Amino acid sequence: MTIVGFHASHEQLPPGALLHAVKLAEEAGFDAAMCSDHLEPWSVRQGHSGYAWSWLGAALEATRFSLGVVTAPGQRYHPVIAAQKIATLGQMYPGRFWAAIGSGEAVNEHVTGDPWPEKEERDARLAETVDVMRRLLAGEEVTTDGLIRVDRGRVWSLPEVPPPLLAAAVSTETARDAAAWADGIITIDQSPDALREVMDAYREAGGDGPVAVQVHLSWAHTDEEALAIAHDQWRQSLVPAHLAWELERPEEFDERTAEVTPEQVAETLVASADTSRHLDHLAGIAELGVDRIFLHHVGTEQDAFIHAFGERVLPDLREAGR
C-alpha cells in the first residue's frame, strides 16, 4: 500500500507553525512526513527558512510516524557533522528517521564563500560524501583527502541500525547512478512517462529501495484562490532545474519569474478547490507503483488543507495504491 505523507516546507512557514502542522497531519491520518532543509527560501515572498535539524528533533518527539529530510551535505554541512546529526536522530528515534541526499543548490551553499562547483564536480563530491557518511555510520574512523577532506573523523553515538540514506533524484541519470549506493530514491512529480522512466532507471540499475514522489499542489476553497496561492508562492518552479542549481539569492528567483502568469504556474501543478481533481492526479501516481507520496500544499495556511485531504483524499488514495 502506498504511504501518503505530509511535506513541511521550511521556506514558507516558521518552524513553530510547521511543528503544529505536522502534528495535525498525523492526527488527520497522514502516514508520515518529510521536510526541506534550506538556508534561504526560494522567494522573498516565502520569507522563512528555519533550521531543519532542530525542528526534526522536536517533530520526531511530538509525533509517532516516520520523518525524513532532503539535505545536501558536502559544502554548507561537512559530511562528518551530517553523519553525526543523522546518527543522533537515528539513535533517539530508531526506525523512524531517513535522509535523502542531493548535490545541493547554490542558493543554500554560497554562504560558505567557497566557489560553487560545476555539476560534474558536485556529483563527484556527492559520491565521496556518501562514502564518508556510510563509513562513519558503520562506526569507522575515517581519514580522506579528496574533494572531501576528513582527519580521523568518528561518530561515537550510533544507532543500532543506521537510518536509510535515499537519493534525491530528478533525472534518469541521477536515479541510475544512485542505485549503487542509495537505500531508495525520492523524486518530484513529473509526467507519468517521466516518472516511470526515473523509476525504471533506478530499478534496472539494481536499486531495490522505496521510490518516493513529492507532489506540489495548491488547494483552497475556490479555484481562483488556489491558483492565486500557487502563483504567489510557487512560481519559482518554472525556473529550469539546471539554472535553479546556480542562482544564489531569492531575489534572483523573483527576478527570473517576475513576468510569470498564473496560467503558466497552473501547468506545473494541480491548483483546484476540487479534492476529486487532486485525488485523480495522485491516484495516477500511486498506480505507477510508487511506494510513498508526500503532499506539499504550496500555501501558507495548512490546517484546512490537512483536514480536507485527511477526510476526502487520503482514504481513496491509499486504496488506489494497494
Side-chain angles (χ1 to χ4, degrees), residues 46 58 62 84 111 161 189 191 198 223 234 255 258 276 318:
Q46 292 173 347
Q84 184 186 31
V111 67
V161 178
D189 186 16
S191 71
V198 169
D223 288 350
W234 213 248
E255 290 169 6
S276 66
R318 289 197 187 92

Side-chain angles (χ1 to χ4, degrees), residues 165-176:
L165 299 183
L166 281 65
V170 175
S171 69
T172 55
E173 293 80 9
T174 302
R176 188 178 299 111

